[in-house]
Amino acid sequence: MNKPAYPHPPIAREGWPFAGGMLALALLATLVWGFAAAWFLWLIAGLALLCLRDPARLAPDAPGAVLAPADGRVIGIEPARDEFSERDALRISLLVGPFVSPACRAPVGGTLAGLAHEPGGYGDTRRARAMLENDRTALLIDGVQGHRITCVLVAGPLARRVACQVREGDALARGQRCGYTPLGSRVDVYLPRQARPRVAVGDKVTATSTVLADLPLIESQS
């Protein structure tokens, strides 16, 4: 296992205003009315911290592997058209539940060759149409292994937002935090058609720690 790709706080930065506000409100209510009247606010604050946690993760020693970009469950593995890179691809789809870490991490090391945002709705991310109709942001990563990986963050009906913290041209390390996918979002990963999946539909995956697939070897040209 490799060391975590970046230092970071244990709670996602995007959630600090909400979590801090709930903790302050719970503390104030406890001082004024006592814990018996404020317990529900403490419960909400605790759930907020649970949903916003951003733990350090270790990447496996597998340079040619594609790592899971988010915590969640595999809901699809199928041939598909990668419209952002205009190619035929293998798509692995992950459903990010409401009580897992919302951090999205780079599935491979490389260069962020492009960013694309497609506005849309906020329907149920379990539906097949969500990848076409929901608000989404695509990260196009040219991996150090020579392959293009497209990672699409799809907004869900609860948080109604995804965020991206990297810019076009940035060099990305494997497992580096690059986005925010809270409360029932979805992440679609487009790989070369020849990639070999290492997961199955229904599997639970952990960001950075789980290997999604192995990339095909690129023959060197003499």
Side-chain angles (χ1 to χ4, degrees), residues 14-185:
E14 296 84 354
W16 287 0
F18 178 74
M22 288 306 307
L23 287 171
L25 184 61
L27 179 60
L28 179 62
T30 301
L31 293 175
V32 175
W33 297 298
F35 181 77
W39 70 268
F40 187 67
L41 293 175
W42 284 110
L43 177 62
I44 295 177
L47 287 175
L49 293 175
L50 175 67
C51 297
L52 294 168
R53 66 190 185 281
D54 188 6
R57 296 285 169 75
L58 297 176
D61 293 317
V66 178
L67 309 181
D71 291 359
R73 179 170 54 88
V74 180
I75 58 173
I77 302 174
E78 57 194 338
R81 183 68 179 173
D82 178 0
E83 297 182 356
F84 296 98
S85 295
E86 299 183 347
R87 59 170 180 168
D88 292 328
L90 174 71
R91 180 177 62 218
I92 300 180
S93 300
L94 307 178
L95 182 66
V96 182
F99 298 113
V100 300
S101 170
C104 182
R105 304 161 192 252
V108 295
T111 300
L112 185 60
L115 281 170
H117 175 250
E118 292 288 340
Y122 305 97
D124 188 345
T125 47
R126 294 171 296 183
R127 298 181 308 122
R129 297 293 300 175
M131 69 189 73
L132 301 174
E133 297 176 352
N134 282 24
D135 192 270
R136 56 201 183 278
T137 298
L139 289 74
L140 284 63
I141 305 171
D142 285 341
V144 293
Q145 299 87 8
H147 292 288
R148 165 67 60 86
I149 308 298
T150 303
C151 189
V152 185
L153 316 183
V154 183
L158 295 178
R160 293 188 155 214
R161 65 183 290 255
V162 293
C164 182
Q165 290 108 12
V166 288
R167 298 179 179 180
E168 186 172 339
D170 283 356
L172 302 180
R174 301 167 72 230
Q176 178 180 333
R177 194 183 200 275
C178 58
Y180 177 68
T181 54
L183 301 175
S185 304

Side-chain angles (χ1 to χ4, degrees), residues 185-206:
S185 304
R186 173 184 178 131
V187 180
D188 292 316
V189 184
Y190 292 85
L191 309 172
R193 287 290 297 271
Q194 298 79 18
R196 182 171 64 88
R198 294 267 297 271
V199 293
V201 173
D203 286 355
K204 291 184 178 180
V205 300
T206 302

